Amino acid sequence: MSQYSMVIQWSDEDQLFLVTIPEFADRVVMPCTHGQNREEAIRNGEAVIEMYLEAWRSENERIPKPRTLQMA
């Protein structure tokens, strides 16, 4: 499992759970994947994260750093 963030939101229009990856927002069209249920959306989100990371590595492109929770 990656350390990247995923935001999963229900879409009434699409009747699907849509997945966005905040760290990839400036490099990838959002939402980047979806699922019929939350579990499928999470699996698809993890697959998309790995796909982009592999592509960026193979092309020697900049890879966004995972965001971390900053506690005060």
Side-chain angles (χ1 to χ4, degrees), residues 22-39:
E23 292 93 335
F24 295 2
D26 63 337
R27 308 214 35 215
V28 175
V29 175
M30 295 292 166
C32 63
T33 192
H34 63 273
Q36 296 287 329
N37 55 54
R38 291 182 63 80
E39 294 78 15

Side-chain angles (χ1 to χ4, degrees), residues 2-70:
S2 73
Q3 295 177 335
Y4 288 90
S5 307
M6 279 193 281
V7 177
I8 302 168
Q9 297 174 299
W10 177 252
S11 170
D12 282 333
E13 180 179 340
D14 299 307
Q15 293 294 295
L16 294 166
F17 286 92
L18 303 182
V19 180
T20 57
I21 302 163
E23 292 93 335
F24 295 2
D26 63 337
R27 308 214 35 215
V28 175
V29 175
M30 295 292 166
C32 63
T33 192
H34 63 273
Q36 296 287 329
N37 55 54
R38 291 182 63 80
E39 294 78 15
E40 182 180 45
I42 291 168
R43 282 193 308 272
N44 292 344
E46 290 290 342
V48 165
I49 290 169
E50 291 307 315
M51 178 192 69
Y52 276 111
L53 292 176
E54 283 181 30
W56 292 331
R57 283 186 194 110
S58 71
E59 296 171 8
N60 292 320
E61 291 190 34
R62 179 185 65 83
I63 296 175
K65 292 186 187 277
R67 293 182 183 170
T68 58
L69 181 63
Q70 301 297 318

